[in-house]
Amino acid sequence: MKKLIITLLCLLAVVPFSMAQQTAERNKTIYRELNRAANNRTIEYSKYYADSFEARGLKGPKSAEVLSNSYLKTFPDLQIKILELIAEGDLVMARCEATGTQTGEMNGTPATGKKGTIAHWTINRFNAEGKIVESWNLNDNLSMLQQLGMLK
């Protein structure tokens, strides 16, 4: 009986960890799928972003679409390559490389026609349904401005 109780306690300790690990892996898979859709310009924003997602004063999947489209106006050939993905619980962190040609205006500066590659990091929080509810992003904008010839 004592062995049975110990075995059950061990299983109970492993199950939550295993479920958390499965959730983290699921979220990484969803992020990879989102990245692929973004690079192919086939994103169904409501598939990846929760109604509670917020960016630039807008709420819901539409806010992610507006944000994405603002980048694509400036860099229509933008491609984001995932270099590393790390997941813990409901968070997925991606270290990426973003490459694009500035053929549109950027912050009042006309298009340069120059191509640039920068480091891009993002942390995304997923809900229980596997949709992004929060996102924090960091881009190496100094490097981008230098590559585009806007800053020496």
Side-chain angles (χ1 to χ4, degrees):
M1 183 68 164
K2 186 176 178 182
K3 283 184 179 182
L4 177 63
I5 291 172
I6 291 172
T7 302
L8 286 174
L9 288 174
C10 288
L11 285 173
L12 290 174
V14 170
V15 169
F17 174 76
S18 176
M19 289 175 65
Q21 191 175 25
Q22 287 174 357
T23 299
E25 287 303 315
R26 177 205 65 183
N27 292 342
K28 284 170 58 176
T29 299
I30 292 168
Y31 184 81
R32 280 189 198 95
E33 184 181 301
L34 167 62
N35 182 260
R36 205 170 17 261
N39 285 336
N40 293 329
R41 310 295 186 262
T42 58
I43 299 177
E44 295 175 45
Y45 289 90
S46 59
K47 179 178 177 181
Y48 300 103
Y49 293 90
D51 290 338
S52 62
F53 180 80
E54 209 171 317
R56 294 196 177 177
L58 298 172
K59 201 166 188 172
K62 187 71 175 169
S63 64
E65 184 176 4
V66 167
L67 185 60
S68 178
N69 287 339
S70 72
Y71 292 123
L72 292 174
K73 272 185 177 177
T74 304
F75 300 96
D77 63 344
L78 180 66
Q79 291 291 297
I80 298 175
K81 178 181 176 184
I82 298 171
L83 302 175
E84 202 169 7
L85 270 183
I86 302 167
E88 179 73 32
D90 61 354
L91 296 173
V92 173
M93 186 273 181
R95 183 175 69 86
C96 304
E97 182 179 85
T99 302
T101 308
Q102 190 218 356
T103 60
E105 182 184 316
M106 184 171 75
N107 298 328
T109 303
T112 64
K114 293 182 180 179
K115 191 171 199 150
T117 299
I118 63 166
H120 166 73
W121 298 269
T122 181
I123 300 172
N124 296 281
R125 183 181 305 280
F126 287 77
N127 65 15
E129 290 78 41
K131 292 186 178 189
I132 297 171
V133 293
E134 291 182 281
S135 185
W136 302 271
N137 299 283
L138 179 65
N139 295 309
D140 184 359
N141 291 330
L142 176 61
S143 176
M144 177 180 56
L145 293 172
Q146 289 170 332
Q147 290 176 60
L148 298 178
M150 296 178 183
L151 189 64
K152 302 274 178 193

